Amino acid sequence: MAMELQRIAQLLEASLDPRQNKQAELALRHEEQKPGYSVCLLQIVAADSFSNTVRLASALCFKNFLKRNWTDEEGNHKLPQNEVATIKQELVGLMISVPPNIQSQLGDAVGIIADSDFWARWDTLVDDLVSRLTADNPTINIGVLQVAHSIFKRWRPLYRSDELFTEINHVLERFGTPFLSLLESTDKSIDHNKKNKPVLRQLINSLNLMMKLFYDLSCQDLPPAFEDNLPAITSLLQKYLTFDDPSLNSDSDDEAGPLEFLKSAILEVLTLYVQKYEDAFGTHVEVFVASSWNLLTTTGQETKYDILVSKALQFLTSVTRIKQHAQAFNDEANMGQVIERVVLPNLALRDSDMELFEDEPIEFIRRDLEGSDNDTRRRAATDFLRGLMSQFEKLVTEVVYKYINHYLTEYSSDPVNKWRSKDTAVYLFSSIAATGAVTASQGVKTTNPLVNVIEFFQNNIASDLVSDNAVEPILQVDSIKYLYTFRSQMSRDQWKDAFPLLVRHLASSNYVVYTYAAIAVERVLALVDDTRRPIVEKDSVAPLAKDLLEHLFKLIEKDNIPDKNQAASKLQENEFLMRCVMRVLIVIRDGVIPLTNNVLKHFVGITEIICANPSNPSFCYYHFEAIGALIRFAAPSQPQAIENTLYPPFATILRDDVQDFMPYVIQLFAALLEANSSGPLPDYYKSLIPPILTRDLWLSKGNVPALVRLLSSIIARGASDIVANNQVVPVLGIFQQLVLLKSTDIYAFELLECVLTYFSTSVLETYYVPIMQALLTRLEKTKTEAFSARFVRLYHFMSAKGDQGLGTDFFIKIIDQVQLGIFVPLYLNIILPGTPKLARPLDRKTAVISLTKTLADSFAFAETYKKGWAFTCNALLELLLNPPVPSTTDDLIADHDVDDMSFGVGFTQLTTIKRAAQDPWPDITNIKSWVTEYLNSANAGGNGKIVTYAKERLSPEESRSLAMYMQI
C-alpha cells in the first residue's frame, strides 16, 4: 500500500509540472480505474510525510474524481459500497484536521457528496458534526463548521420545495440548538480570551463561520429556534458589529482582517433578515441602522475595508426599500448628511483606485463595469443612492444636484488639478439619472424625469470626448462610460455623430481608455431599436472595418501592456477587445470577405499563442466566436481557403487534447463543412472520422453536442465513404452509448435522424431492430418527458419518409420484430398523446406530414388498425386547428452574456455558428394546402378510399371536418 501511495503521489507531483502534466494526468486517469483509488487519495491528503503541495493536489484530484464518479444519472453510487462508506467515515474527521487551503477542496468534495446523498443516504452526518463540536477548542470547531457550511450553503440559490424543507428541518432538529449553544459559548470564550491574541483570532474566525451558517440556516425560512431567541441573537450581532480590538487589526492597507470579515458576514445576515423577515425583525432594525451609520462614517478609506463598507451600504439599501424605515431619510438636512458623510466618501476616486487604474488596468475595468459581481464602494454607494431615489426621487435629485454643481464649479476653477471633482460629479449624475435595471444589452432603459441625460452630456462631458488637447484619462473613461451607460437614450442621428468619436479613442495609448472604447463600440454595435433594426448599421461600419479590425488585433497582440505581474501572458487576455472584434465581424457580415486572409492570419497566430496556456475562458470564448463569425460570413464564398488555413491549428488542438478548446474547435469544423454542402468529403475530414468514432472522445459530456454536429455534417457529405470503410457500426455504437444517458439522449436522436436520412435502408437493414430495441428499453426503464417527446418526433420523422424507404408500415414492421403487438400500446399511449405536445413548428409540420401520409398510404392503418385510422385523423385535425407556420427569423445573432455561462462545466454553444433548425420538407410551404392536395390525390388514386374510410370510421362531425380540408 505504501508503494501504491508513493506512486500516486509522484504522479500528482508530476501533474503540477507543465513539462509532464499531460502524461501524468493520463496515468492518473488509468489509476482511477483501480478499486480504492479515492481512498488512496484521502490517505495522501492525511499523511504529513507528503509535501503540502502534493497533499493539496491530492485533495483537488479527489474532488474532481468525485465529480465524475460519485453517482450515475439515476443517483446510484458508481463506487463500491465499501469505498463509499469509507469516504463518508473518513472525510469529516480529515477535513477538520488539515490546513485551510486543503480544507477548502475537501469542503467542495463534501458538497458533491451531499448533493446526492444528504440527507437520506447520509443521515448520520449532522449527528456526527454535532458530536464533534466543543465548548473550548476553536480549531476543531472551525473544521466542523466548515464542513457544515459546505453542505448547508447549497440551499441559498434553491427554489422552495417540500423536499428541500424536509432536509432543512432534518438539520434544524439536530443542529439548531447545539448551534445556538455554540454561539453563546463562543461569545463567552471571546470575553475570557481578549488578551490571548492567537486564541482570540481563532474564536473570531469561528464566529465568522457561524455567521455564514446563520445565513445558510435562515436563507429559506426563519428557523423557529432563531425566532424564539431573536432578542438574544440580535444583541450578540450588535455586540460584534461594534466590537473592536486593536490586536485583530490587519497590518496591511489592502488585506482585510478577521474583524472585517466577521462584520461583513453579520451585515449579510442583517440584509437577509430585513429583506425576508421584516415582520419579525423590524423592531430591531433601528439599532443596526445606527451602528451601520457609525461604521460608515468612522471607517477609513483603505482598501482592506472595501468589503465591509460595501456590505454596510447594502444593508442600508435594503432598509431604504421599506417605506417606514426609509422615512428617517425623508428630510433635506438628513439627506444632505447622508450624501455628504456616506455617499460622497465612497463615490469619490481614491489613490488606491488610481493605483489599480495604472498598475492593473484590466482589473480596474472589471470592477468598474456596471453589473460586475465585485463588491466595490462605488457600486454599493450608487445602489444606496438609487434605493433612496426609489422612495424620494424629487428630494434626492434636488440635494444631489447641489453637489453635482458644486463639483463641476470646483473643476472649472482649476481643470488641471481638480479633475477628480468632475469625475465625482459625473458619477453622481449617472447614479441619479438611471432608474430601474441597467441591462447588459441596452444599458439604461428608463431615466429620472427630473434630469436631462443628453443635455448633461452636451454641456459637461462631450468636450472630453472630442478634445484634441490633453485630457485626464479618467475623464476620457468617464465620457466613454457615459455613452456606454446611456446608449439607449440616444437617437440614431445622435449616434451618427458619437460613434466615430468612440472609434477614435481606440487609438488612445492608455489601456483603460482604449479598452473602454472597445467595450462601448461593441455594445453600441449590438444595439437595436424596437423593430430589431441596428442603431449603427452595416453601411456605417463597413468602410471602417479594415482599419478598425487591424487596430483591434494590434492592441490584442501588443507586447507591452501595463500589467506588473504577467505582461506577456496578458496581451492575449483582454476579452473586451476580442469581443469587439467578434461584434465588428457580425455587423459587417459578408463585408469581411475582402479582409479574410488578413483576419485569418491574426486568428491563427492568436490561437497558437493561447493554446500554450488557455488561462482566460472569456477571451478564448470570444476568440472562437469571432472565428465562427468569419466562417459564417466568409466560408460560403471561399471554403477551401479557410479550411486549409484553419485546419493545422485546429488539428493541433485535437491532437494535443486541449480540453478547454475541444468543443469550440469541433463546432467550427462542423460549421466549415456545412458552409460548403456540396462535393465530396475533403480528405482531412476523412482523417477525422477514426478519432471521432473513438469512445474516449465522447466521455467528456461537453464534447458531445459538438461531436454529434460534426459527425452529422460528415455523414451528410460522406455517407458513402463511411459505408466503404465499414464505419457504420462504430457510428451506431456512438448512438447506443448516447441513448443510455439522460444527459445525452437528445443528441442520440439527432445522430439517429441523420443516419436514417443519409444511409440507405439496405445499409441499415440489419440494424433497425437493435436501434428500436435500445429506444424501447429506455422508454420502458427510464422514460422521461423529454425522451418521450423525442421518440414521438422520431416516429413522425420516419413515418413521413415513406418515399425514402421508411414510412408508417416500415416502422410497424420493425417494432413487431422487436415485440409482436407492441405497436398498438406504443401508438395509443406514447405517440398520439405526445403529438399535440410537440412545440417546435418544424416538429409539428413533420407530424402533420406523418399523419397525413398514414391516412393516405398506410396499409396497416387501412386494414389492421381501423380504429387507429380514426384516432390518427382526429390527431391530424387537432394539429391543423393551429397549423405550424415557418418561423420568421431576422438573422440576428443571439447576444449571450459570457458572465452567465459556465466554462468547463458543460457544452458552450458558439452563437455565431449556431445551426439553424433544418426543415426536411422545405418545398412544403403551405401545410394546409399540401394536406388537401395529398389527401385528394390519394383519394382519387384509391377509388375514393379516404372518403370511404371517413364515412365508416369517423363520426359525422369528424367526417365534415375532414371534408373541409379535402374541399369535397
Side-chain angles (χ1 to χ4, degrees):
M1 176 60 78
M3 291 180 64
E4 184 83 5
L5 293 183
Q6 192 65 44
R7 187 176 72 258
I8 294 174
Q10 288 172 352
L11 291 174
L12 289 167
E13 192 163 22
S15 71
L16 303 174
D17 184 349
R19 296 167 299 180
Q20 48 184 330
N21 64 332
K22 288 286 183 188
Q23 299 92 319
E25 286 169 6
L26 287 172
L28 285 169
R29 281 296 186 103
H30 177 72
E31 289 292 327
E32 74 177 37
Q33 306 302 320
K34 300 177 182 178
Y37 172 72
S38 60
V39 177
C40 288
L41 291 176
L42 285 181
Q43 289 173 336
I44 293 171
V45 173
D48 293 334
S49 57
F50 295 110
S51 69
N52 277 341
T53 304
V54 169
R55 293 172 70 194
L56 178 59
S58 188
L60 181 61
C61 191
F62 175 77
K63 176 186 77 173
N64 292 332
F65 173 79
L66 289 193
K67 279 183 183 178
R68 298 189 302 270
N69 296 290
W70 187 252
T71 58
D72 61 21
E73 287 199 326
E74 302 302 320
N76 302 312
H77 291 130
K78 294 169 71 173
L79 299 176
Q81 282 305 308
N82 61 333
E83 198 167 334
V84 169
T86 301
I87 290 170
K88 290 180 179 179
Q89 184 178 334
E90 300 296 330
L91 190 53
V92 174
L94 179 57
M95 187 172 167
I96 291 169
S97 64
V98 295
N101 59 339
I102 298 176
Q103 201 172 69
S104 174
Q105 298 300 328
L106 294 182
D108 290 342
V110 170
I112 292 166
I113 296 172
D115 278 338
S116 66
D117 285 27
F118 188 76
W119 62 280
R121 292 192 296 190
W122 204 0
D123 57 357
T124 60
L125 175 61
V126 179
D127 292 330
D128 184 17
L129 292 174
V130 169
S131 71
R132 295 174 186 269
L133 291 171
T134 72
D136 56 2
N137 192 329
T139 303
I140 291 176
N141 289 342
I142 286 172
V144 174
L145 296 171
Q146 191 69 57
V147 175
H149 178 51
S150 67
I151 298 168
F152 305 157
K153 70 182 179 183
R154 296 158 40 254
W155 301 334
R156 294 190 182 195
L158 299 182
Y159 291 108
R160 298 168 69 96
S161 68
D162 292 344
E163 185 180 1
L164 174 62
F165 275 85
T166 300
E167 180 178 320
I168 293 173
N169 288 334
H170 167 84
V171 170
L172 289 173
E173 287 170 7
R174 293 157 177 78
F175 194 79
T177 301
F179 175 75
L180 292 175
S181 300
L182 183 63
L183 264 179
E184 185 178 355
S185 63
T186 301
D187 176 39
K188 291 177 181 177
S189 295
I190 290 172
D191 290 337
H192 295 152
N193 287 279
K194 287 185 177 179
K195 295 183 180 179
N196 188 338
K197 183 176 178 180
V199 174
L200 180 62
R201 183 172 287 263
Q202 280 195 313
L203 288 165
I204 292 295
N205 288 337
S206 177
L207 191 58
N208 177 34
L209 268 173
M210 284 184 236
M211 290 302 102
K212 292 179 180 179
L213 275 163
F214 194 89
Y215 191 110
D216 297 338
L217 296 168
S218 306
C219 66
Q220 291 289 338
D221 203 357
L222 181 58
F226 292 3
E227 186 172 11
D228 293 343
N229 291 277
L230 208 51
I233 291 171
T234 53
S235 176
L236 185 142
L237 297 179
Q238 169 67 5
K239 173 181 177 179
Y240 288 101
L241 189 59
T242 57
F243 187 83
D244 190 31
D245 189 311
S247 69
L248 296 171
N249 291 341
S250 170
D251 296 330
S252 165
D253 286 344
D254 299 324
E255 299 294 328
L259 269 184
E260 285 75 56
F261 287 123
L262 172 60
K263 292 180 181 182
S264 297
I266 291 172
L267 287 161
E268 280 196 76
V269 168
L270 296 177
T271 302
L272 174 72
Y273 270 63
V274 167
Q275 291 172 340
K276 294 197 69 169
Y277 312 121
E278 197 277 334
D279 53 339
F281 187 65
T283 56
H284 304 282
V285 168
E286 190 175 337
V287 66
F288 290 112
V289 169
S291 300
S292 300
W293 174 269
N294 184 61
L295 186 152
L296 287 166
T297 54
T298 58
T299 300
Q301 290 287 309
E302 293 87 350
T303 307
K304 66 180 178 181
Y305 299 123
D306 283 2
I307 294 178
L308 174 59
V309 169
S310 297
K311 296 300 180 187
L313 285 166
Q314 288 167 17
F315 167 67
L316 289 183
T317 303
S318 67
V319 171
T320 63
R321 304 290 184 191
I322 301 171
K323 194 149 194 160
Q324 65 266 33
H325 296 312
Q327 289 305 314
F329 303 107
N330 190 14
D331 174 86
E332 187 172 350
N334 288 346
M335 189 64 70
Q337 287 285 303
V338 169
I339 304 302
E340 194 157 317
R341 299 187 63 188
V342 173
V343 174
L344 288 175
N346 294 301
L347 270 181
L349 207 60
R350 301 170 296 171
D351 290 342
S352 59
D353 297 322
M354 288 309 301
E355 288 174 12
L356 193 69
F357 182 93
E358 293 163 3
D359 297 339
E360 296 186 61
I362 195 74
E363 185 60 26
F364 177 90
I365 294 163
R366 287 171 181 154
R367 291 187 186 185
D368 189 54
L369 273 176
E370 189 81 43
S372 165
D373 289 335
N374 290 302
D375 288 320
T376 66
R377 292 186 185 226
R378 275 193 152 187
R379 180 155 305 106
T382 297
D383 290 343
F384 178 45
L385 196 53
R386 288 175 180 167
L388 292 168
M389 281 273 298
S390 68
Q391 298 286 357
F392 318 112
E393 186 174 69
K394 186 171 184 294
L395 173 62
V396 172
T397 302
E398 290 173 352
V399 171
V400 169
Y401 231 104
K402 292 177 184 177
Y403 288 97
I404 292 171
N405 290 329
H406 164 76
Y407 283 115
L408 289 174
T409 302
E410 194 170 72
Y411 166 74
S412 299
S413 68
D414 186 3
V416 174
N417 296 309
K418 296 288 187 179
W419 57 267
R420 290 196 191 195
S421 296
K422 184 172 183 179
D423 172 76
T424 302
V426 171
Y427 219 99
L428 268 176
F429 181 85
S430 297
S431 298
I432 63 166
T435 59
V438 181
T439 68
S441 61
Q442 295 180 307
V444 172
K445 285 290 290 177
T446 56
T447 59
N448 181 346
L450 302 176
V451 302
N452 189 318
V453 169
I454 303 300
E455 184 181 87
F456 187 85
F457 172 76
Q458 292 169 338
N459 294 341
N460 302 292
I461 296 176
S463 58
D464 294 329
L465 204 62
V466 302
S467 176
D468 292 324
N469 301 321
V471 176
E472 183 64 35
I474 280 285
L475 296 184
Q476 289 181 318
V477 170
D478 286 345
S479 63
I480 295 167
K481 187 180 178 186
Y482 190 93
L483 288 178
Y484 161 81
T485 302
F486 295 103
R487 57 190 180 274
S488 290
Q489 303 304 312
M490 295 176 61
S491 68
R492 191 180 300 276
D493 289 338
Q494 287 169 332
W495 269 120
K496 284 181 181 177
D497 296 329
F499 184 73
L501 297 175
L502 289 180
V503 173
R504 172 183 160 192
H505 279 78
L506 288 169
S508 171
S509 60
N510 184 278
Y511 186 93
V512 179
V513 173
Y514 71 65
T515 300
Y516 245 119
I519 292 167
V521 165
E522 189 276 329
R523 286 290 80 197
V524 173
L525 289 178
L527 196 62
V528 295
D529 62 19
D530 292 338
T531 65
R532 304 285 288 163
R533 180 186 167 198
I535 295 296
V536 179
E537 297 186 276
K538 174 185 173 180
D539 292 344
S540 302
V541 182
L544 311 171
K546 181 179 178 182
D547 293 337
L548 180 54
L549 288 169
E550 192 60 36
H551 187 69
L552 286 166
F553 282 124
K554 182 180 176 182
L555 292 174
I556 290 169
E557 295 162 355
K558 202 173 179 181
D559 287 327
N560 55 338
I561 70 157
D563 189 285
K564 63 185 180 182
N565 295 322
Q566 291 181 312
S569 67
K570 287 274 187 175
L571 70 92
Q572 72 274 14
E573 291 185 356
N574 190 327
E575 65 266 29
F576 305 109
L577 295 177
M578 186 54 79
R579 186 174 188 177
C580 192
V581 169
M582 175 200 75
R583 186 62 58 190
V584 171
L585 292 174
I586 289 172
V587 170
I588 65 172
R589 306 177 82 80
D590 56 2
V592 75
I593 292 173
L595 315 176
T596 298
N597 289 340
N598 197 43
V599 172
L600 268 176
K601 182 182 74 173
H602 288 294
F603 280 149
V604 169
I606 293 169
T607 302
E608 289 171 348
I609 293 171
I610 61 176
C611 275
N613 181 27
S615 54
N616 184 341
S618 300
F619 177 87
C620 297
Y621 166 74
Y622 287 123
H623 171 66
F624 288 110
E625 281 281 24
I627 295 176
L630 178 68
I631 291 171
R632 175 169 178 166
F633 300 118
S637 65
Q638 43 192 317
Q640 193 164 0
I642 295 178
E643 285 176 354
N644 291 341
T645 305
L646 290 176
Y647 184 81
F650 286 3
T652 300
I653 288 169
L654 296 181
R655 184 196 67 213
D656 294 347
D657 194 26
V658 184
Q659 288 287 334
D660 293 352
F661 295 170
M662 296 271 275
Y664 297 140
V665 166
I666 296 167
Q667 289 177 78
L668 293 169
F669 266 135
L672 279 168
L673 197 54
E674 292 157 6
N676 179 23
S677 57
S678 61
L681 188 68
D683 288 341
Y684 39 76
Y685 282 103
K686 292 179 185 177
S687 69
L688 287 176
I689 297 175
I692 287 174
L693 295 179
T694 57
R695 183 175 181 273
D696 289 350
L697 200 57
W698 296 80
L699 293 177
S700 172
K701 291 178 183 175
N703 289 343
V704 168
L707 283 169
V708 167
R709 179 177 177 181
L710 177 56
L711 184 53
S712 299
S713 300
I714 289 173
I715 291 171
R717 285 273 295 277
S720 59
D721 295 297
I722 292 173
V723 173
N725 292 315
N726 297 316
Q727 292 168 322
V728 173
V729 171
V731 170
L732 294 175
I734 296 297
F735 158 75
Q736 286 199 307
Q737 180 181 331
L738 298 179
V739 83
L740 291 174
L741 301 176
K742 292 177 183 177
S743 58
T744 57
D745 56 24
I746 183 174
Y747 305 108
F749 281 105
E750 284 186 22
L751 181 58
L752 180 57
E753 288 177 8
C754 178
V755 165
L756 294 172
T757 299
Y758 293 103
F759 291 132
S760 67
T761 51
S762 60
V763 169
L764 296 175
E765 187 175 2
T766 58
Y767 306 116
Y768 287 119
V769 171
I771 288 170
M772 284 300 164
Q773 282 177 327
L775 294 172
L776 294 177
T777 299
R778 267 297 313 270
L779 271 177
E780 181 184 1
K781 293 186 176 179
T782 51
K783 181 179 71 173
T784 65
E785 189 172 335
F787 187 90
S788 297
R790 285 308 296 252
F791 183 85
V792 171
R793 169 177 152 169
L794 176 71
Y795 166 78
H796 288 302
F797 179 83
M798 293 182 68
S799 173
K801 285 186 173 287
D803 55 341
Q804 297 178 35
L806 301 176
T808 305
D809 290 347
F810 179 84
F811 185 92
I812 294 170
K813 183 180 79 170
I814 299 301
I815 287 292
D816 279 346
Q817 290 179 56
V818 176
Q819 183 179 334
L820 192 63
I822 198 174
F823 176 74
V824 171
L826 189 68
Y827 194 70
L828 294 178
N829 298 322
I830 301 290
I831 295 171
L832 283 179
T835 297
K837 297 177 184 177
L838 294 172
R840 298 195 321 164
L842 285 178
D843 293 346
R844 294 174 69 84
K845 178 180 179 180
T846 300
V848 169
I849 295 170
S850 159
L851 297 172
T852 302
K853 288 186 175 183
T854 298
L855 295 178
D857 302 335
S858 171
F859 177 82
F861 275 81
E863 299 298 332
T864 308
Y865 307 122
K866 296 181 180 180
K867 288 185 179 179
W869 194 96
F871 295 148
T872 301
C873 186
N874 287 327
L876 174 62
L877 293 173
E878 184 179 349
L879 284 179
L880 290 174
L881 290 174
N882 182 23
V885 293
S887 59
T888 55
T889 60
D890 51 19
D891 202 27
L892 286 179
I893 293 172
D895 189 27
H896 282 188
D897 186 352
V898 70
D899 295 327
D900 295 335
M901 307 173 87
S902 301
F903 298 104
V905 175
F907 172 67
T908 303
Q909 169 77 57
L910 294 177
T911 57
T912 52
I913 52 168
K914 185 176 181 180
R915 194 175 189 183
Q918 304 297 305
D919 186 352
W921 295 273
D923 295 337
I924 301 175
T925 54
N926 186 321
I927 193 68
K928 278 190 174 183
S929 297
W930 178 86
V931 169
T932 298
E933 291 172 10
Y934 200 90
L935 289 179
N936 282 332
S937 176
N939 187 59
N943 297 319
K945 65 176 182 178
I946 304 296
V947 173
T948 301
Y949 295 158
K951 289 179 179 177
E952 293 173 353
R953 303 173 187 183
L954 300 179
S955 69
E957 184 179 349
E958 292 165 348
S959 186
R960 284 193 296 271
S961 297
L962 180 61
M964 288 174 56
Y965 289 105
M966 294 183 65
Q967 298 176 355
I968 54 175

